[in-house]
């Protein structure tokens, strides 16, 4: 029972173009969504997040869109740069237990930016 | 600024052996977490702690134990290592404040059980 799914294991994009990474979820109790970026042999690094009461959040080159009716979110990176090549994880949480954020992660999408 | 530090980085264990994965953070975060990541999969929560002396189970706690005696340290114990515990283990920490406080991760411990 995978509550958070990233159906594209990999994505290849040309430098300067837009990268769009997708994520679907099944649990309607999720109220907060996050994207993490991971380089090889390193831990995940927080990138951007969105609350379920919003449908868009923007931070520089990164924008996350949330479609609650479709239970779908996407991460847009524009323009894409070589340093964006990494594995991107979508994660979600359903409230917090004693204030803790119990994240459920997708499988990840490996993004490769080609020069 | 070290952040979250995990030791060791790599370890090979024999079936039935025990070991402790160490995690320490210097950000004075109240909340700490342990995840495992199997190949091709996302991270799964093993245990978490909201402060010294307070721990609780996550999604996949079987075969593991934790303790939290200080704010800085959150060790993960494997008592009887099994091949199914071969994985990469990540420790994370965050401030209180619920969902809008992102977790900061260590670089992981790669563990193989043979």
């Amino acid at each position: 029972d995978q509550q958070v799914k990233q159906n594209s294991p990999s994505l290849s994009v040309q430098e300067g173009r837009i990268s769009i990474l997708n994520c679907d979820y099944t649990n309607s109790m999720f109220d907060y969504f996050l994207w993490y970026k991971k380089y090889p042999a390193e831990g995940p690094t927080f990138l951007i997040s969105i609350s379920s009461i919003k449908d868009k959040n923007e931070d520089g080159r990164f924008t996350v869109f949330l479609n609650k009716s479709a239970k779908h979110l996407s991460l847009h990176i524009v323009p894409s740069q070589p340093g964006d090549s990494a594995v991107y994880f979508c994660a979600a949480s359903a409230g917090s237990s004693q204030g803790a954020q119990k994240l459920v992660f997708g499988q990840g999408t490996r993004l490769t930016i080609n020069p | 600024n070290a952040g979250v530090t995990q030791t060791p980085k790599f370890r090979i264990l024999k079936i039935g052996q025990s070991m402790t994965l160490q995690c320490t953070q210097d950000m004075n975060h109240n909340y700490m977490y342990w995840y495992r990541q199997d190949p091709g999969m996302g991270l799964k929560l093993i245990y978490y702690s909201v402060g010294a002396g307070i721990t609780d189970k996550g999604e996949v706690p079987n075969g593991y134990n934790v303790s939290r005696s200080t704010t800085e340290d959150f060790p993960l114990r494997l008592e009887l290592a099994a091949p199914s515990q071969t994985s990469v283990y990540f420790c994370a920490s965050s401030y209180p404040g619920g969902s809008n406080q992102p977790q900061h991760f260590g670089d992981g411990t790669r563990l193989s059980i043979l």
Side-chain angles (χ1 to χ4, degrees):
Chain A
D1 176 26
Q2 194 143 8
Q3 299 183 70
V4 177
K5 290 184 180 180
Q6 295 176 254
N7 292 316
S8 299
S10 62
L11 177 67
S12 185
V13 174
Q14 195 167 5
E15 182 179 359
R17 299 288 185 105
I18 184 171
S19 296
I20 301 176
L21 294 93
N22 294 302
C23 178
D24 297 297
Y25 63 95
T26 58
N27 188 344
S28 58
M29 299 300 291
F30 287 144
D31 63 356
Y32 210 78
F33 303 89
L34 307 91
W35 285 93
Y36 280 84
K37 176 180 180 179
K38 185 182 180 306
Y39 292 120
E42 295 184 7
T45 302
F46 170 73
L47 195 56
I48 192 169
S49 62
I50 187 168
S51 164
S52 61
I53 63 174
K54 296 184 176 181
D55 55 16
K56 177 183 175 182
N57 188 27
E58 191 171 355
D59 184 3
R61 296 186 298 114
F62 303 92
T63 303
V64 56
F65 295 92
L66 175 62
N67 182 334
K68 283 184 64 179
S69 61
K71 294 191 175 65
H72 176 83
L73 67 155
S74 60
L75 173 68
H76 292 211
I77 306 173
V78 55
S80 300
Q81 300 174 354
D84 296 330
S85 295
V87 176
Y88 289 78
F89 290 98
C90 170
S93 68
S96 62
S97 174
Q98 299 177 281
Q101 187 186 56
K102 297 169 68 175
L103 293 178
V104 179
F105 282 82
Q107 313 95 302
T109 296
R110 182 178 301 279
L111 176 64
T112 302
I113 306 301
N114 301 307
Chain B
N1 186 7
V4 178
T5 302
Q6 293 184 236
T7 57
K9 292 191 183 302
F10 305 95
R11 183 75 184 267
I12 298 175
L13 280 183
K14 294 183 179 179
I15 295 171
Q17 286 185 320
S18 62
M19 79 163 291
T20 299
L21 282 67
Q22 302 291 345
C23 175
T24 186
Q25 51 91 10
D26 63 0
M27 297 174 282
N28 203 31
H29 285 166
N30 293 71
Y31 296 162
M32 296 187 75
Y33 308 82
W34 274 106
Y35 294 87
R36 60 177 284 173
Q37 185 191 10
D38 298 332
M41 304 294 289
L43 284 72
K44 291 186 184 294
L45 183 63
I46 304 171
Y47 271 97
Y48 66 97
S49 169
V50 301
I54 307 170
T55 62
D56 206 349
K57 296 177 180 178
E59 183 183 356
V60 289
N62 291 343
Y64 306 95
N65 284 300
V66 293
S67 60
R68 183 96 181 270
S69 57
T70 67
T71 299
E72 295 78 19
D73 301 305
F74 190 38
L76 177 72
R77 178 88 178 158
L78 282 71
E79 291 293 352
L80 287 172
S84 62
Q85 294 177 306
T86 293
S87 191
V88 182
Y89 292 84
F90 291 100
C91 178
S93 69
S94 72
Y95 283 114
S99 295
N100 63 349
Q101 292 295 334
Q103 295 178 25
H104 300 259
F105 284 82
D107 287 339
T109 294
R110 185 177 297 274
L111 182 62
S112 295
I113 316 293
L114 303 176

